[in-house]
Amino acid sequence: MEDFLYFFTFQDSSIVFVVIGITLLGLGSAYVGTYSFLDKKALLGDAISHAVLPGICLGFILAGEKNPIYIVSGAFASGALATFLTSWIRSNTKLSEDAIIASILSIFFGFGVVLLTVIQKSGNPEMAGLNQFIFGNAIAILEEDLIIYGGLALLIIITLTLFQKEFSLLVFNSDYGKAIGYPMGLIRLLFNVLMILAVVIGIQAIGVVLMAALLITPGAAARFWTDRLGKLLIIAGLFSVISGIMGTYISFILPQMPTGPWVVVCLSFLALFSFLFAPKKGVLSRTISRQRYLNKTHRDHLLKAIHHGLEQGKKYLTIEEIYESFPYQKSKTRKSIDNLIRSGLITKNQNLIIPTEEGKSEAKRIVRLHRLWELYLNEYMNIAPDHVHDTAEKLEHILTPEMEALLEKRLNFPKLDPHQENIPRDYDDL
Amino acid sequence: MMTFDQNAFLIIFTASLIAISCGLLGVFMMLRKMSMTGDAISHAVLPGIVIGFFISGSQRGLEVIIGAGILGIFATLIIDWLRQKARVQLDASIGITFTLLFAVGIILINLLAYKVDLDQECVLYGEIAYLPIDLWISDSGFNFGPRITYLAILNVTLVVAFITLLFKELTLTSFDENFSSVIGIPSKGINLALMSMVSYTTVSSFEAVGAILVVALLVVPPSTAFLWTKKLMPLIRLTCGLGIFIAISGYYLAYLVDSSIAGMMVAVSGILFLASVLINGKKPKFTWELPWNKSRLALEDKQL
């Protein structure tokens, strides 16, 4: 608790720097990552983040110490080379995209490991700092690093905000952008540069292996909460900042823990929560609404069965007859019957199911929609009468009163459907 | 300087075996456009390795292999679940799954740091150079020779057996999954079997070449071979040949610059790959074809 207060009241100026740093980093990579996620190029970020390793090592060898400028430019150069090679190989060979990305990723990482072992054996005392780039250590962000990393992150955020229209064009419909005269090649280049920059500054906090999570996960999770690009970016940024600060806090209280893995675990937790519980798109709410819809269709079918009984002159159906018309669905049918009784559409007397006035009118409505749609398909679409039933079976549940009115008007209030059956109206008596 | 002694032979022999097992599986992964899934699996087995290590107390335990195998299948299932049930696009579901599992693995290593003798570097890069001193000695003190070589022999035998036995099924499901389902081949089961073989190979090789570099051996030789031939059998043969070549040249180059052998093997395979792209990639060719024929050719090109 003491640690918690100490950390979150920002008494220590170095903690302030770290938190500012991780916030900027998180925002920058979440922004870039969301665009690349929408572009369906999420794994390119993974390739780039593995590919910066040889650049970091080269920068280290050239500078002889952990100099942020050398390291950032080395990382940027090898990231750029990897991006260029990926797109060049894609346009020049028949290899599939995932094979190319996986190859580039592992080849660059292999080169990085070779350089890393060379540095290790050279016995440079600064070597220890280099391992931080593999799993990240946000606590190690110093004030002078912050100016470079934070500045670059700000640059990314500002550029993405200023050119939001251009980048959305790139992601959603690049051909259209080209057609209306935008220089799409240049925009893609700029975007790739921003992506590499985001990776380069992100690895300080989260490390090369896990950087992909900071790019991919916030966007993927935020996508479950909204369909608007503006909100998407804000939510993704929020997720990433929260997990960044959480991860930093954990590696603050447990100093042997690297930051990266904890940031990723927090992010994945937020993502999993979104996948399961987000309204509308989450697994849970989709399962519920699907179940609701299935129940509704089954209720509708039950009412229809009762209506058919009425048409044949039966005032009621026995419960066995109903079970028989829906074979193998006894428990479901029982549930639907209970449901209909509760909403006052039918009444049950011993084992007789009798529709109420409301129930009759509802049943008529469903049958009417079914038959109207059959007639519409037959008359306007020229579909043979024996082919119209299946579509109508689906649409009877979803046609709105407005659609019904329109159909009635188009078909001029017809009496009979293509199968020469009566189209029931509320004033009809059965 | 460059010697060929018993140690060199053992290292090259083992490395070739590992490269061959990875390459054989990699060919099918590539044909299924699942190279990135292979990458994801090789990251995702990490928690399994750590837990197995913790339970058995040594990296020789069967628990390690079982743990990693379970995690590999688990990762495949999560990816499928995210894609089909939660409707996350494929690349993002791969990215989310492997980063999460890898992060959990790293956290476990740090939590159990005092209890298990396993460090992050070993998992990431491996070190095949220690192979000749890591001996398999029986309880009665008899020395059988380097342990990892035995593991690699076992691994390559199982992989070859797996592919020979299921060759028809693997080929069919790789090229036309729907057709193979129609004629009654359980393509999901075959897929899971392949994924578990990949996880097992990853675990069996991670001490020698490291979890991430296994990916390179899974992906790069098949992709390189694919640039030279499009027929399945030559593709497999070429991949194996490349594996052996990579092992030999990687060893001697690493010797020359005094660096990680596994890293150097990957570097060599990378150079071979890029060279193959340069030689066999499309070049702007001048042809006498009429424009409309050309455009039809271009269309066929795309359909392939």
Side-chain angles (χ1 to χ4, degrees):
Chain A
M1 197 58 215
E2 219 170 86
D3 281 337
F4 184 82
L5 282 179
Y6 181 75
F7 186 86
F8 284 101
T9 48
F10 306 121
Q11 292 161 359
D12 193 335
S13 71
S14 72
I15 291 180
V16 179
F17 284 123
V18 169
V19 170
I20 293 175
I22 198 99
T23 307
L24 287 175
L25 293 184
L27 279 180
S29 35
Y31 272 24
V32 178
T34 307
Y35 277 108
S36 75
F37 165 78
L38 293 172
D39 202 15
K40 299 202 166 38
K41 288 209 165 45
L43 288 176
L44 186 61
D46 186 31
I48 296 176
S49 50
H50 282 74
V52 296
L53 186 62
I56 293 176
C57 295
L58 265 184
F60 182 84
I61 291 173
L62 289 179
E65 54 165 1
K66 227 185 93 192
N67 180 325
I69 297 177
Y70 275 87
I71 286 184
V72 165
S73 23
F76 183 81
S78 68
L81 184 64
T83 319
F84 167 73
L85 277 178
T86 310
S87 68
W88 183 70
I89 294 175
R90 185 169 50 231
S91 57
N92 279 291
T93 66
K94 282 181 182 169
L95 283 171
S96 62
E97 185 161 9
D98 66 318
I100 298 171
I101 289 182
S103 302
I104 292 288
L105 174 159
S106 46
I107 290 170
F108 272 75
F109 197 79
F111 267 110
V113 170
V114 169
L115 290 175
L116 209 56
T117 45
V118 168
I119 297 173
Q120 248 162 3
K121 288 182 178 155
S122 74
N124 190 323
E126 289 261 337
M127 168 64 205
L130 212 53
N131 271 335
Q132 282 172 2
F133 286 104
I134 297 195
F135 297 112
N137 188 356
I139 291 293
I141 298 180
L142 300 171
E143 203 177 327
E144 56 261 38
D145 297 339
L146 183 69
I147 297 171
I148 294 174
Y149 295 119
L152 284 174
L154 267 181
L155 182 76
I156 294 172
I157 297 168
I158 291 171
T159 319
L160 279 177
T161 319
L162 279 181
F163 296 100
Q164 184 165 5
K165 188 174 70 185
E166 282 78 4
F167 288 123
S168 342
L169 256 180
L170 176 75
V171 170
F172 291 116
N173 198 343
S174 157
D175 289 339
Y176 173 68
K178 206 178 205 171
I180 59 172
Y182 277 98
M184 292 322 277
L186 195 66
I187 296 172
R188 166 138 339 255
L189 184 73
L190 182 60
F191 181 72
N192 283 342
V193 169
L194 291 180
M195 178 124 134
I196 299 164
L197 274 183
V199 169
V200 169
I201 57 173
I203 47 174
Q204 168 74 47
I206 198 165
V208 290
V209 187
L210 294 173
M211 184 58 210
L214 206 55
L215 289 171
I216 299 170
T217 317
R223 189 69 188 78
F224 276 71
W225 296 89
T226 176
D227 285 329
R228 311 291 313 169
L229 181 63
K231 279 190 199 160
L232 188 69
L233 291 174
I234 293 171
I235 297 173
L238 202 67
F239 281 166
S240 149
V241 169
I242 292 174
S243 342
I245 294 178
M246 287 301 295
T248 316
Y249 172 68
I250 290 169
S251 69
F252 169 75
I253 48 173
L254 300 170
Q256 87 275 16
M257 282 286 176
T259 323
W262 281 105
V263 176
V264 173
V265 168
C266 295
L267 257 182
S268 311
F269 176 75
L270 285 174
L272 206 64
F273 181 80
S274 312
F275 297 158
L276 289 176
F277 304 115
K280 281 189 198 156
K281 287 188 183 165
V283 174
L284 191 70
S285 86
R286 270 195 292 116
T287 317
I288 291 174
S289 64
R290 190 183 130 80
Q291 198 52 49
R292 274 204 192 128
Y293 181 72
L294 284 178
N295 288 344
K296 180 186 171 337
T297 54
H298 197 254
R299 275 205 313 271
D300 287 357
H301 289 157
L302 226 148
L303 283 174
K304 259 172 43 187
I306 294 172
H307 183 87
H308 289 312
L310 288 173
E311 279 184 327
Q312 288 158 13
K314 293 187 208 163
K315 288 272 176 242
Y316 50 78
L317 289 178
T318 64
I319 212 157
E320 282 75 28
E321 277 176 304
I322 291 183
Y323 286 153
E324 258 166 48
S325 40
F326 301 102
Y328 307 115
Q329 298 181 359
K330 200 164 171 179
S331 70
K332 203 172 155 192
T333 309
R334 190 181 305 134
K335 241 186 250 167
S336 295
I337 291 175
D338 290 346
N339 213 314
L340 285 171
I341 294 174
R342 241 177 290 135
S343 37
L345 295 175
I346 53 175
T347 53
K348 191 168 140 191
N349 190 351
Q350 306 278 351
N351 65 343
L352 300 182
I353 301 289
I354 307 157
T356 62
E357 281 310 307
E358 277 168 54
K360 278 185 196 166
S361 135
E362 176 66 12
K364 276 183 202 160
R365 192 184 68 86
I366 297 158
V367 175
R368 183 163 70 240
L369 287 176
H370 182 102
R371 292 181 180 166
L372 275 174
W373 189 256
E374 286 187 335
L375 190 62
Y376 175 75
L377 283 184
N378 183 235
E379 282 202 357
Y380 280 83
M381 302 289 173
N382 282 327
I383 297 175
D386 53 341
H387 278 66
V388 293
H389 178 79
D390 288 342
T391 329
E393 195 75 14
K394 285 176 195 141
L395 280 170
E396 65 191 17
H397 311 293
I398 43 182
L399 285 178
T400 57
E402 291 81 16
M403 285 289 286
E404 186 191 343
L406 207 64
L407 280 174
E408 291 269 33
K409 210 171 141 198
R410 280 277 169 84
L411 299 166
N412 202 14
F413 301 92
K415 281 254 169 283
L416 295 174
D417 79 349
H419 309 298
Q420 307 307 317
E421 282 171 311
N422 186 35
I423 296 180
R425 301 271 149 57
D426 265 346
Y427 45 78
D428 290 342
D429 205 27
L430 276 172
Chain B
M1 256 296 271
M2 270 195 219
T3 51
F4 186 81
D5 51 24
Q6 196 202 354
N7 283 353
F9 171 75
L10 274 177
I11 291 177
I12 292 175
F13 178 65
T14 314
S16 311
L17 289 183
I18 292 176
I20 289 174
S21 351
C22 290
L24 284 174
L25 295 172
V27 168
F28 290 98
M29 299 289 278
M30 180 189 68
L31 292 176
R32 288 157 178 259
K33 303 211 180 348
M34 287 177 74
S35 304
M36 280 316 280
T37 315
D39 177 44
I41 287 179
S42 69
H43 285 74
V45 294
L46 184 59
I49 292 175
V50 183
I51 294 171
F53 208 37
F54 180 62
I55 292 174
S56 72
S58 80
Q59 45 191 314
R60 292 157 180 73
L62 192 64
E63 288 92 336
V64 177
I65 288 178
I66 295 174
I70 292 174
L71 257 288
I73 296 174
F74 185 56
T76 327
L77 293 177
I78 298 184
I79 293 174
D80 274 353
W81 181 81
L82 281 180
R83 193 162 58 115
Q84 284 161 4
K85 288 277 151 33
R87 300 198 193 161
V88 184
Q89 64 198 40
L90 176 65
D91 55 347
S93 38
I94 291 178
I96 293 170
T97 311
F98 90 78
T99 50
L100 171 62
L101 290 174
F102 195 77
V104 170
I106 298 290
I107 290 173
L108 282 177
I109 288 183
N110 277 291
L111 280 180
L112 307 173
Y114 307 106
K115 290 165 195 141
V116 294
D117 174 30
L118 188 73
D119 63 6
Q120 301 154 0
E121 277 75 28
C122 157
V123 173
L124 277 183
Y125 333 126
E127 192 43 271
I128 202 171
Y130 298 143
L131 175 140
I133 51 169
D134 183 7
L135 298 171
W136 179 28
I137 298 168
S138 72
D139 292 336
S140 54
F142 185 74
N143 183 356
F144 288 100
R147 190 176 52 87
I148 294 179
T149 309
Y150 282 104
L151 280 181
I153 293 174
L154 179 68
N155 184 232
V156 86
T157 321
L158 287 177
V159 168
V160 169
F162 172 76
I163 286 179
T164 332
L165 282 177
L166 293 176
F167 188 75
K168 192 185 71 190
E169 284 81 359
L170 279 170
T171 318
L172 255 177
T173 47
S174 300
F175 286 107
D176 195 338
E177 204 178 324
N178 293 334
F179 175 66
S180 60
S181 301
V182 166
I183 63 170
I185 293 172
S187 53
K188 277 230 165 87
I190 297 280
N191 200 19
L192 273 186
L194 181 64
M195 293 305 133
S196 20
M197 279 315 275
V198 171
S199 337
Y200 160 57
T201 306
T202 311
V203 192
S204 161
S205 332
F206 91 101
E207 283 175 71
V209 293
I212 292 185
L213 298 185
V214 172
V215 186
L217 297 178
L218 266 174
V219 179
V220 184
S223 305
T224 314
F226 186 75
L227 291 168
W228 294 93
T229 175
K230 301 276 183 290
K231 289 203 178 73
L232 186 56
M233 277 321 284
L235 193 64
I236 291 175
R237 266 182 235 128
L238 189 54
T239 307
C240 295
L242 279 171
I244 297 171
F245 178 76
I246 288 166
I248 298 173
S249 49
Y251 174 77
Y252 283 110
L253 278 176
Y255 196 77
L256 214 62
V257 301
D258 189 19
S259 78
S260 146
I261 296 173
M264 205 36 123
M265 281 169 66
V266 178
V268 170
S269 62
I271 292 166
L272 286 178
F273 174 68
L274 292 180
S276 309
V277 173
L278 274 180
I279 296 168
N280 285 328
K282 266 183 250 157
K283 273 153 269 179
K285 276 182 213 143
F286 184 72
T287 50
W288 292 103
E289 296 245 25
L290 295 166
W292 44 90
N293 289 345
K294 218 174 180 173
S295 66
R296 208 190 63 220
L297 278 177
L299 188 70
E300 280 169 3
D301 221 58
K302 268 191 185 150
Q303 281 166 345
L304 284 174

